[in-house]
Amino acid sequence: MTRLPNTDIWFKESIIDHRYIGSYSFAVDLPNLEGYLSNYCPHLNPKLKESRTQRRAVIQMQRIDPFNEKTYLASDDTSGLRNENFLALKDAPPFIDPKQYPNVHQPQLQEFVLDSKILNNSRKIQIYQSKAKKNQSYITAIFFDGQQYNELLNVPKALDILVEQGQLPAIQAIFVSPPNDQERPKELTPNIKFSAFFSAELMPWIQKNAPAKVDSKKTVLLGSSLGGLSSAYLALDNPNQISHVVPLSGSFWWQNAPTDLPNGMSKIIRDKTSQPKQHWFITANSYESSRNNNELSILETSPIVAADLKNKGHDVHYKSYIGGHSYAVWQVALQDALKHFFAQK
């Protein structure tokens, strides 16, 4: 926010497209790390550089807006997940919001712990299964950052409603969580070790423990941000196990080396030899431009990645939403993606 001169009043004003959907919170009394906040409204000064540590301090100090009752979680929630206020303007895209269906039963999930010998760690996995008609095969949807999608957005209930309304066929969802916040960026940045875990441990575990048979022609890998980057990388590494891929706001600014141009994922795609055709639904949002004002932003790189995949013969649908880097948009996009792939005709 910006301070009115000679007052203790701070404000922020934005002109927003009426299709906007997103989330927000307030950061109050931020710690002044490395002197950045000693400057008057430092975010207005392009010469000042905000460190990652200073930016992440926002997460520790955030508060929800007491005048907006629309939040992801209850105000007294103790899950430790990042609660925010929700905002959808009048022409925001439609989606199934579980909160609007209070009389629909909350589905029960199975919960497991998967121990990895390759990564030498453990992670929580939760599994949802919808009802199915007789002899109907299941879609299998695998979510990275699974706890967020399960508990923050209540995706299981949304899927239940979509199946009950006939908008989707039977589906089982596998919610895969990282061991902790520190391991997440290490695992979800493209690397050989996590790919080995995915192919040699996670997928065989899913095939063994999923309640319905896993159909390799109806298996979707979904993730957002770094999870979107990793979904793209792992899908290309495992084309015979993953048929559909949904990178939501994928971190395609990533480069393994400065020479990886125009971005790291494009280099990986362009270096690939012929492989089975996959179906992709790629998204980036209008406010996902670079903080450094360069071309390596989610908004800049996502259509390049989509074009590279098309050039390799994949079926690719690219969509940009009016919003930011937020689960508010991703809950819409994931439903759009699944309906785009599998909607009942």
Side-chain angles (χ1 to χ4, degrees):
M1 292 187 170
T2 302
R3 191 173 73 185
L4 288 175
N6 304 315
T7 76
D8 197 25
I9 299 173
W10 297 72
F11 78 99
K12 185 176 182 66
E13 180 182 53
S14 298
I15 298 174
I16 303 295
D17 188 294
H18 50 81
R19 294 168 293 172
Y20 176 87
I21 183 169
S23 58
Y24 69 95
S25 61
F26 295 114
V28 181
D29 294 332
L30 280 176
N32 186 11
L33 305 176
E34 304 163 7
Y36 176 76
L37 297 178
S38 300
N39 298 275
Y40 178 78
C41 296
H43 64 286
L44 299 178
N45 187 342
K47 295 181 180 180
L48 295 174
K49 291 187 177 181
E50 183 183 17
S51 70
R52 177 176 175 79
T53 304
Q54 180 70 70
R55 288 202 306 272
R56 291 192 64 81
V58 171
I59 297 174
Q60 308 302 322
M61 307 302 293
Q62 71 165 23
R63 298 181 191 174
I64 60 174
D65 180 353
F67 298 104
N68 180 358
E69 62 183 17
K70 295 181 179 179
T71 56
Y72 290 130
L73 304 167
S75 58
D76 59 351
D77 182 79
T78 58
S79 66
L81 299 177
R82 183 177 175 179
N83 198 10
E84 290 187 322
N85 294 96
F86 177 80
L87 176 65
L89 299 189
K90 64 183 182 71
D91 290 325
F95 69 101
I96 294 298
D97 181 358
K99 288 187 173 68
Q100 301 302 315
Y101 296 81
N103 296 325
V104 173
H105 177 71
Q106 180 65 38
Q108 297 297 309
L109 276 65
Q110 295 177 281
E111 190 165 308
F112 304 87
V113 174
L114 171 60
D115 298 316
S116 169
K117 292 182 179 178
I118 293 174
L119 300 175
N120 193 30
N121 60 26
S122 302
R123 72 196 61 242
K124 179 166 70 172
I125 298 181
Q126 297 158 303
I127 297 181
Y128 155 83
Q129 182 185 32
S130 75
K131 295 179 181 178
K133 297 178 181 178
K134 188 176 181 180
N135 299 323
Q136 187 179 35
S137 64
Y138 275 80
I139 301 163
T140 300
I142 303 167
F143 288 81
F144 285 136
D145 294 313
Q147 188 179 10
Q148 309 283 343
Y149 281 98
N150 174 26
E151 299 177 25
L152 199 68
L153 300 182
N154 200 356
V155 167
K157 187 173 178 178
L159 295 178
D160 245 15
I161 296 166
L162 286 164
V163 173
E164 181 65 27
Q165 291 182 351
Q167 296 192 57
L168 285 179
I171 185 168
Q172 57 186 359
I174 317 297
F175 298 97
V176 182
S177 296
N180 51 57
D181 290 342
Q182 291 70 41
E183 290 298 311
R184 179 181 179 272
K186 299 175 187 176
E187 292 188 346
L188 297 184
T189 300
N191 66 87
I192 295 173
K193 198 170 183 180
F194 193 73
S195 184
F197 158 75
F198 183 85
S199 59
E201 293 183 328
L202 179 60
M203 288 305 296
W205 185 95
I206 290 173
Q207 289 157 0
K208 179 181 177 181
N209 291 278
K213 182 180 179 181
V214 176
D215 183 346
S216 62
K217 295 181 179 180
K218 295 168 64 176
T219 300
V220 192
L221 187 58
L222 306 94
S224 48
S225 196
L226 281 175
L229 173 68
S230 188
S231 294
Y233 170 71
L234 294 170
L236 291 170
D237 255 11
N238 300 272
N240 295 316
Q241 293 180 296
I242 302 299
S243 56
H244 297 73
V245 198
V246 185
L248 305 172
S249 302
S251 299
F252 296 137
W253 45 261
W254 170 81
Q255 293 173 293
N256 188 46
T259 53
D260 290 353
L261 298 173
N263 60 77
M265 184 51 60
S266 285
K267 184 177 187 305
I268 290 171
I269 295 166
R270 295 175 187 186
D271 288 347
K272 286 283 182 184
T273 55
S274 178
Q275 63 181 122
K277 179 180 179 180
Q278 293 168 305
H279 306 278
W280 294 71
F281 191 103
I282 298 176
T283 74
N285 305 319
S286 60
Y287 292 97
E288 292 183 309
S289 54
S290 172
R291 296 177 68 96
N292 299 318
N293 297 314
N294 60 32
E295 294 182 354
L296 286 176
S297 72
I298 290 171
L299 189 59
E300 292 276 358
T301 55
S302 293
I304 297 172
V305 169
D308 287 331
L309 288 164
K310 269 188 178 179
N311 290 337
K312 287 290 186 176
H314 295 284
D315 169 42
V316 183
H317 180 81
Y318 172 76
K319 186 169 183 177
S320 183
Y321 293 84
I322 307 299
H325 199 68
S326 167
Y327 280 98
V329 187
W330 300 333
Q331 67 181 333
V332 179
L334 76 89
Q335 293 182 25
D336 287 349
L338 292 173
K339 288 188 290 183
H340 174 77
F341 292 144
F342 304 111
Q344 302 277 47
K345 306 298 184 184

